[in-house]
Amino acid sequence: MSTQESVALPPLVQPAAALTPEEMQRYSRHLIIPEVGLQGQLRLKNAKVLVIGAGGLGSPAMLYLAAAGVGTIGIVDDDVVEASNLQRQVIHTVRDLGRSKAQSARDSILDLNPGTAVVLHETRLDAGNALDIFAGYDVILDGTDNFATRYLVNDAAAILGKPYVWGSILRFDGQVSVFWDRYGPNYRDLYPEAPPAGSVPSCAEGGVLGVLCAQIGSVMVNEAIKLITGIGSTLLGRVLVFNALQMSWRELKVRKDPHGEPITELADYEAFCGVGPAPVVDAGHTVSATELAAMLRSRDDGGASFELIDVREPGEYEIVRIPGARLVPKGRILSGEAAGELPRDKELVLHCKSGARSAEVLRELLDHGYTKVRHLDGGVLAWVRDVEPEKAVY
């Protein structure tokens, strides 16, 4: 099938019966736009939009959906608000620290527009609940940062015949598109195969410019509004790629694979993306934060020598580090690039932020014949908690 340019999309939602006088006043700037008008606003009032993730992209998206007059917003999120979220997740405030993100987002939406109905799904989206949750909505917005969820969202939307607005951000780069298997390409036409596990860092590992969330999230809402009202030309068949450093947009065309297999059922998405459970590390290859502190003191006093290897990214290393640690990022180790930097004749102690990445590197080194290697259980978070509580966490 050709791209969106040759596909006329009907309005996604039937119009509601009427607007109240208060709604006429609130949405007056929409009503005087010929392409939107009364009928478009009535369609927005009748629309049900599901937002997956009340995080960086979900935050601006939900606020603008509510401001635009979308009648029902569903929120899928099982996380709580942390201090590091506030740099970009503008729907939450300091008062919300420790609260459910879904509940925090609901309160902000209702503060902005009490006429919006908010439905909470405080659960982790998976193959067992996605179809049931999606069934109650007209369009799905997904701004999550992992490939397993993206494929799940795509497949569930395709099975139910619903459009899916996708956004992705990392550091200074953003991408956004519309996928609708009924009329054009789906996410699998853009990414037939998932990238190797660990090859693309999450925002927690690689960072993200906070304002990028607003730039990409607002485009996602723009696409949802066009789908709901049937106006304009959507991004179906096109991917917008944004570089915030260069302040440049470029467009990629995406066509439906004529040989692609129909999507008829959900799958094991973590297996498809090569994401399994965290490596199991036996006690003989693990060290606690207090044990590591004692090892460092002993080494400084002339005791047993060892190398402390930090497998995080350089930006993380700048925020907080364990004294004496040498930075060798995980990607360089797994690719083999740093093989000559890791001695085999000296004990290695690996660490990351929480222990997941260092456990992965530990398993890789053991598989390649290293025998004198351990990792810090709980990572920097455990070190700050148990040894240097005055240091910052992120």
Side-chain angles (χ1 to χ4, degrees), residues 2 17 26 38 58 76 89 110 128 142-143 150 155 168 184 187 216 224 230 243 245 251 275 296 348 364 394:
S2 61
R26 173 184 281 266
L38 179 60
V76 180
Q89 299 180 17
L110 295 178
D142 177 31
R150 292 169 185 167
D155 292 0
S168 174
Y187 185 74
I216 298 301
N243 182 309
L245 277 180
E251 183 178 298
V275 180
L296 289 168
L348 304 178
E364 179 77 6
Y394 62 100

Side-chain angles (χ1 to χ4, degrees), residues 43-60:
R43 294 184 194 278
L44 290 169
K45 181 176 180 177
N46 217 22
K48 298 178 179 179
V49 178
L50 181 67
V51 179
I52 302 172
L57 291 174
S59 289

Side-chain angles (χ1 to χ4, degrees), residues 130-136 140 154-162 180 182:
L131 293 175
D132 289 339
I133 293 174
F134 285 19
I140 316 300
N154 176 79
D155 292 0
I159 290 170
L160 295 172
K162 298 179 184 292
W180 198 352
R182 176 180 292 177

Side-chain angles (χ1 to χ4, degrees), residues 118-138:
V118 182
V119 181
L120 303 187
H121 305 277
E122 295 182 85
T123 184
R124 184 176 181 83
L125 192 72
D126 59 33
N129 59 26
L131 293 175
D132 289 339
I133 293 174
F134 285 19
Y137 296 90
D138 302 303

Side-chain angles (χ1 to χ4, degrees), residues 338-357:
E341 302 174 32
L342 302 176
R344 293 177 180 267
D345 60 349
K346 183 184 293 187
E347 182 180 11
L348 304 178
V349 177
L350 313 169
H351 83 81
C352 62
K353 178 181 179 179
S354 65
R357 282 174 280 173

Side-chain angles (χ1 to χ4, degrees), residues 35-311:
E35 291 83 355
V36 180
L38 179 60
Q39 286 299 301
Q41 196 63 49
L42 290 170
R43 294 184 194 278
L44 290 169
K45 181 176 180 177
N46 217 22
K48 298 178 179 179
V49 178
L50 181 67
V51 179
I52 302 172
L57 291 174
S59 289
M62 286 185 284
L63 291 173
Y64 273 104
L65 288 168
V70 168
T72 301
I73 298 175
I75 306 171
V76 180
D77 202 301
D78 67 343
D79 202 358
V80 298
V81 181
E82 299 178 357
S84 62
N85 301 147
L86 302 182
Q87 165 255 8
R88 65 201 177 280
Q89 299 180 17
V90 295
I91 205 165
H92 312 298
T93 70
V94 172
R95 292 189 302 274
D96 298 311
L97 292 174
R99 290 187 66 203
S100 154
K101 282 188 178 180
Q103 294 178 27
S104 168
R106 175 198 58 200
D107 293 350
S108 294
I109 289 170
L110 295 178
D111 283 344
L112 176 63
N113 190 346
T116 300
V118 182
V119 181
L120 303 187
H121 305 277
E122 295 182 85
T123 184
R124 184 176 181 83
L125 192 72
D126 59 33
N129 59 26
L131 293 175
D132 289 339
I133 293 174
F134 285 19
Y137 296 90
D138 302 303
V139 60
I140 316 300
L141 268 66
D142 177 31
T144 56
D145 68 350
N146 69 88
F147 284 92
T149 301
R150 292 169 185 167
Y151 284 104
L152 167 61
V153 172
N154 176 79
D155 292 0
I159 290 170
L160 295 172
K162 298 179 184 292
Y164 156 38
V165 182
W166 164 72
S168 174
I169 52 175
L170 181 66
R171 293 176 177 155
F172 297 99
D173 299 312
Q175 301 175 36
V176 61
S177 189
V178 171
F179 301 106
W180 198 352
D181 194 58
R182 176 180 292 177
Y183 293 101
N186 65 64
Y187 185 74
R188 290 182 179 273
D189 295 309
L190 178 62
Y191 290 107
E193 298 292 336
S199 63
V200 179
S202 68
C203 290
E205 296 174 2
V208 60
L209 185 69
V211 72
L212 182 65
C213 301
Q215 292 161 318
I216 298 301
S218 63
V219 176
M220 295 172 70
V221 175
N222 188 68
E223 294 307 294
I225 289 173
K226 289 190 294 181
L227 288 165
I228 291 164
T229 59
I231 64 174
S233 177
T234 73
L235 285 174
L236 182 64
R238 299 181 288 153
V239 179
L240 283 185
V241 181
F242 178 58
N243 182 309
L245 277 180
Q246 302 299 324
M247 194 50 66
S248 64
W249 295 88
R250 60 191 177 97
E251 183 178 298
L252 305 175
K253 298 291 187 181
V254 183
R255 294 183 180 272
K256 194 171 184 66
D257 181 359
H259 306 295
E261 293 291 328
I263 300 171
T264 58
E265 61 182 7
L266 302 182
D268 183 341
Y269 295 93
E270 292 197 347
F272 176 74
C273 294
V275 180
V280 177
V281 179
D282 61 67
H285 292 290
T286 300
V287 60
S288 71
T290 53
E291 288 172 335
L292 176 59
M295 291 171 62
L296 289 168
R297 288 193 298 270
S298 174
R299 186 183 68 177
D300 292 343
D301 291 338
S305 179
F306 66 95
E307 288 263 8
L308 180 58
I309 306 297
D310 187 336
V311 303

